[in-house]
Amino acid sequence: MKVHPWHIPIALALSAGIFSFAAWSAQAIRLADGTTYFANPPRLMTATTTQKGANSPGARYYFTLTIPENAGEPLQKVAIAQQQGIARPRFDLSRTDAFEGTRNRPAARLSLKEVTIDPQTRGIKVTFDPPVPPGKTVTIRLYATRNPNVGGVYLYGVTAFPTGEKPHGQFLGFGRIQIYEGNNDGS
């Protein structure tokens, strides 16, 4: 195939456009009004619990997120709100913690600024201090003093917030936890 002299400038222009788009996608997205967005939002990887029996005491609920390298912003806050389920577990917010890694491979503990209940959604908000940088896997551990007293499928909506004065929350999906009647652990 013969290369025409005008092919080279077109190829260079296309390459420059692709590389500038790749560089742009890793930058923070900030609007004029101060609202910040993730360029590439975190992903909800898993939601699990240590106790699957209805009314079981001492369950730990784990929510694991991955923050991509090209997120553009650190992770400041995560909201976890029950969306489906007949009853609610009782969480001891004072025992909430977070760490890098997964439930089976925990690494460095992360510092939390605050853990609160949103009065409107009754969801739990976990704020990191300092924010978690892109490229990390994070697990939030909630302690339930008691599981819901009714078996069934419980869905927890997970929303991630970047840093900034006006962070825009990105809904990551639902964590699904199955609770069984009686003390059956579901194994």
Side-chain angles (χ1 to χ4, degrees):
M1 178 175 162
K2 184 177 178 183
V3 176
H4 293 286
W6 53 271
H7 282 156
I8 294 171
I10 291 173
L12 290 173
L14 287 173
S15 296
I18 290 169
F19 288 120
S20 66
F21 176 74
W24 173 82
S25 68
Q27 295 177 358
I29 299 173
R30 294 179 189 266
L31 302 184
D33 71 354
T35 304
T36 54
Y37 291 83
F38 289 111
N40 192 5
R43 289 183 297 277
L44 174 63
M45 304 306 289
T46 61
T48 60
T49 184
T50 57
Q51 303 289 331
K52 295 185 179 186
N55 227 17
S56 292
R60 291 183 254 354
Y61 287 62
Y62 294 87
F63 295 87
T64 301
L65 316 170
T66 297
I67 310 162
E69 287 283 348
N70 61 350
E73 286 285 342
L75 175 66
Q76 178 73 63
K77 183 186 312 184
V78 175
I80 302 168
Q82 183 177 326
Q83 304 292 316
Q84 178 179 313
I86 298 169
R88 293 185 175 274
R90 286 182 263 162
F91 291 110
D92 179 355
L93 297 187
S94 69
R95 295 185 68 192
T96 300
D97 65 345
F99 50 88
E100 286 185 36
T102 64
R103 174 182 170 190
N104 297 327
R105 292 193 141 168
R109 198 167 178 156
L110 298 170
S111 179
L112 301 180
K113 179 178 181 179
E114 65 181 356
V115 179
T116 59
I117 295 258
D118 183 312
Q120 293 176 339
T121 65
R122 294 178 62 188
I124 296 171
K125 289 187 177 180
V126 177
T127 305
F128 297 97
D129 183 24
V132 183
K136 302 287 185 185
T137 296
V138 174
T139 300
I140 296 169
R141 179 172 37 204
L142 304 175
Y143 286 84
T145 56
R146 190 157 301 282
N147 267 350
N149 60 2
V150 177
V153 174
Y154 289 80
L155 295 180
Y156 294 87
V158 179
T159 303
F161 295 84
T163 55
E165 289 181 34
K166 295 170 79 176
H168 177 80
Q170 174 70 46
F171 181 70
L172 307 182
F174 292 104
R176 180 185 187 276
I177 295 186
Q178 176 75 48
I179 300 295
Y180 296 92
E181 289 295 330
N183 286 327
N184 180 358
D185 68 2
S187 315

